[in-house]
Amino acid sequence: MNNYIALIDCNNFYASCERVFNPKLKNKPIVVLSNNDGCIIARSNEAKNLGIKMGEPLFKCKSIIKSNKVNIFSSNYTLYADMSNRVMNIIKDQFLNTEIYSIDEAFISFNGKSINDIEDKFVNLRRKIYKWTGIPVSIGISSTKTLAKVANKIAKKESGVFFISSHDSKEKILKELPIGSVWGIGRKLEQRFLAMGILNAYQLSKMDNKNIRKITNINILRTAMELNGVNCIDIDTSPISKKQITTSRAFSKNITELKYLEEAVSLYVSRAAEKLRFQKSKCYIITVALSTNRFDRQNIHKFLLNSHSFNSSTNSTSKLISAAKKILKNIYQSGLFYKKAYVFLSGLENSESKQYTFSDDIMMIKKDDNLMKTFDKINKSFGSDTIKYANTGISRDWFMKREKKSNRYTTNWNEILKINLKNN
DNA sequence: TCTGGGGTCCTAGGACCC
DNA sequence: TCTGGGGTCCTAGGACCC
């Protein structure tokens, strides 16, 4: 019995989610946009073949989109998160050691005997996920996470399941894999390696360890070792708490008035505090930042930021909003055109094992805890924002633009898919 | 007109301790 | 003339991931 690692990756995930509920989109080009309908963040294969690039601003590829009748969608995270849960549950049902790595990827660790058995198992899993959710996935299998990533790239191009099984095939594959396509090597490191004549994954795997360590960091040494089949990056099956929580978003238009900035920042604080309570944490530090449009060539780009420390950690939305408003007043400069606001929560600790001090008013803290518990419970049962803080804004004119959003087919009764039997 | 959001980890350097 | 050795913690900034 050998230990293997598989990477299951949903194909063009957001675009595939849209397709599940709209079969007319089959074989048609689709793109999904970022918040504010700004950039392309997902493409179907047909859209990729038209030369539309990942991360490209929409206005730059308008003409290709128009002439090829590409279907455009604003991002619908409610739908994508629900579809992701469905896929992940099927995987977790079958494999004990599953790490949900991102919204559309999961690593699993398993023991296997024969190559044929293993391939059969994953061909079936792939079929099952497609049948039960409508989402196509690719599965790469090998001995380490980094090699499973490599195998997955090939699976995407070929039959959907790919197993790097023999030493010889691995060598050939790594020689054909450009250095910049290795997991963990970004743009900067790619340039450095190319300048040194390290052009592909195979060359990296053959480099001297001390030399790698000298020119890069410990992570890249791990990557190189993983290419040689040595496990260095563990499967993490427990969802660990985040060490920092961020909520930041660009506005649909520039804001100059403090009043609207207060609304936006209060809303972002509410969201961040919800995330904080969801992972059962409290924070000591809140940071608020404002930024002007970094693409505006007429004006200097400004990034204004300040923090507040609490004597006693908190996850109360009211306390956090009140601190955030003070920071905001302090950093705000009139006459600037603000495009984006940020809220960071840091200095996190477990709320259930919190240490109190003599100066803590424990009765008040318990009261706050209960209030927040009720607040979250109501919003969970009746939908997000059923109750909200009034200073997070009523009309929210600055709120992000999402003009091409599809329905939340799976989570909202009013938006459920309707089938017209007459036409069938 | 128009350019995402949310994370993690590592390193270097400073402050400080004995 | 001459100025140790070893450690921790914190922070800012850089690089990476999806």
Side-chain angles (χ1 to χ4, degrees):
Chain A
M1 286 283 243
N2 287 313
N3 189 257
Y4 295 99
I5 289 178
L7 171 64
I8 301 166
D9 189 325
C10 302
N11 299 347
N12 316 322
F13 183 54
Y14 298 166
S16 297
C17 287
E18 297 295 345
R19 228 172 227 167
V20 170
F21 298 94
N22 196 341
K24 278 185 195 151
L25 297 173
K26 203 173 174 186
N27 302 322
K28 301 263 169 62
I30 306 173
V31 295
V32 180
L33 305 176
S34 63
N35 288 344
N36 283 315
D37 294 345
C39 294
I40 312 278
I41 54 165
R43 307 153 298 159
S44 69
N45 285 340
E46 297 77 11
K48 283 179 189 168
N49 291 339
L50 290 172
I52 298 172
K53 294 201 183 66
M54 179 71 177
E56 202 169 18
L58 178 62
F59 73 93
K60 281 193 181 168
C61 46
K62 267 258 161 84
S63 66
I64 305 181
I65 285 181
K66 209 169 176 191
S67 57
N68 292 284
K69 297 196 177 127
V70 177
N71 297 275
I72 306 176
F73 291 94
S74 302
S75 45
N76 183 348
Y77 287 106
T78 315
L79 176 69
Y80 308 152
D82 187 61
M83 293 306 287
S84 171
N85 280 334
R86 293 172 186 218
V87 172
M88 297 305 170
N89 284 337
I90 295 171
I91 300 169
K92 281 194 287 190
D93 221 29
Q94 202 165 330
F95 294 92
L96 208 57
N97 292 318
T98 301
E99 172 186 346
I100 297 171
Y101 179 70
S102 72
I103 194 162
D104 68 337
E105 281 172 277
F107 283 106
I108 51 186
S109 158
F110 65 98
N111 289 310
K113 262 186 273 177
S114 79
I115 293 172
N116 286 340
D117 268 5
I118 293 170
E119 276 185 342
D120 281 354
K121 196 188 261 184
F122 284 101
V123 167
N124 285 332
L125 176 66
R126 184 169 179 268
R127 217 174 274 150
K128 188 164 158 187
I129 294 174
Y130 187 72
K131 195 173 172 191
W132 289 16
T133 66
I135 301 290
V137 302
S138 300
I139 304 177
I141 310 152
S142 191
S143 52
T144 66
K145 276 185 166 179
T146 307
L147 286 171
K149 273 266 178 192
V150 177
N152 196 282
K153 269 194 204 305
I154 301 167
K156 280 244 149 58
K157 281 187 226 147
E158 295 184 6
S159 58
V161 176
F162 191 84
F163 188 3
I164 300 180
S165 46
S166 77
H167 188 269
D168 289 347
S169 71
K170 188 183 98 181
E171 187 171 321
K172 186 166 172 281
I173 288 163
L174 293 188
K175 277 181 178 160
E176 285 169 6
L177 185 70
I179 188 76
S181 302
V182 176
W183 188 44
I185 311 272
R187 283 206 343 246
K188 289 278 158 95
L189 282 169
E190 178 188 18
Q191 281 166 15
R192 255 155 79 191
F193 279 121
L194 288 179
M196 290 165 53
I198 305 290
L199 311 178
N200 58 51
Y202 182 75
Q203 284 177 297
L204 175 63
S205 74
K206 291 293 159 200
M207 271 180 83
D208 177 52
N209 284 354
K210 275 192 196 140
N211 200 12
I212 295 178
R213 190 64 190 82
K214 214 162 83 187
I215 55 174
T216 65
N217 59 46
I218 188 82
N219 280 337
I220 305 303
L221 178 57
R222 288 193 183 116
T223 298
M225 289 175 76
E226 286 232 328
L227 289 173
N228 287 314
V230 181
N231 263 301
C232 300
I233 310 171
D234 288 338
I235 294 269
D236 193 344
T237 54
S238 61
I240 26 164
S241 298
K242 290 173 175 63
K243 294 164 186 165
Q244 182 193 319
I245 286 170
T246 312
T247 299
S248 68
R249 227 151 268 152
F251 314 128
S252 56
K253 52 189 180 193
N254 287 333
I255 303 185
T256 51
E257 279 183 68
L258 184 60
K259 184 175 109 187
Y260 296 117
L261 291 172
E262 276 182 355
E263 279 185 13
V265 166
S266 301
L267 178 66
Y268 299 176
V269 171
S270 296
R271 291 284 172 270
E274 280 162 12
K275 292 181 206 169
L276 190 64
R277 294 194 295 270
F278 182 74
Q279 67 162 41
K280 297 190 169 37
S281 297
K282 291 191 171 184
C283 74
Y284 277 101
I285 301 164
I286 176 167
T287 304
V288 176
L290 291 175
S291 110
T292 58
N293 189 345
R294 66 196 163 104
F295 296 102
D296 177 1
R297 296 208 188 125
Q298 312 293 319
N299 298 293
I300 303 166
H301 177 225
K302 289 248 186 175
F303 188 85
L304 311 165
L305 145 157
N306 216 331
S307 303
H308 172 83
S309 297
F310 296 97
N311 291 328
S312 175
S313 66
T314 183
N315 61 17
S316 142
T317 302
S318 334
K319 281 211 173 104
L320 290 163
I321 287 182
S322 126
K325 281 174 84 171
K326 273 183 209 146
I327 300 170
L328 185 64
K329 279 208 183 86
N330 171 258
I331 58 174
Y332 173 77
Q333 296 176 8
S334 61
L336 295 178
F337 298 102
Y338 296 102
K339 185 62 185 162
K340 191 172 174 180
Y342 308 70
V343 171
F344 307 98
L345 304 180
S346 52
L348 269 47
E349 70 175 4
N350 188 321
S351 56
E352 281 161 3
S353 56
K354 178 179 163 54
Q355 297 284 322
Y356 294 97
T357 64
F358 283 123
S359 59
D360 281 337
D361 183 343
I362 295 181
M363 290 301 283
M364 270 313 285
I365 292 174
K366 295 275 179 216
K367 220 173 156 184
D368 265 346
D369 286 351
N370 284 334
L371 177 65
M372 287 299 114
K373 228 174 243 170
T374 312
F375 185 93
D376 290 337
K377 214 170 169 182
I378 292 173
N379 280 338
K380 199 185 165 197
S381 307
F382 299 100
S384 177
D385 270 357
T386 300
I387 51 168
K388 57 191 174 195
Y389 282 78
N391 60 359
T392 59
I394 306 294
S395 67
R396 294 182 184 170
D397 288 337
W398 41 267
F399 198 65
M400 72 168 105
K401 196 167 75 180
R402 280 198 285 191
E403 287 171 350
K404 311 250 184 200
K405 194 160 77 69
S406 52
N407 287 342
R408 292 165 293 177
Y409 302 104
T410 59
T411 52
N412 190 307
W413 287 113
N414 297 322
E415 299 180 19
I416 201 163
L417 194 65
K418 292 190 183 82
I419 297 172
N420 190 345
L421 289 170
K422 264 188 196 161
N423 292 343
N424 290 330

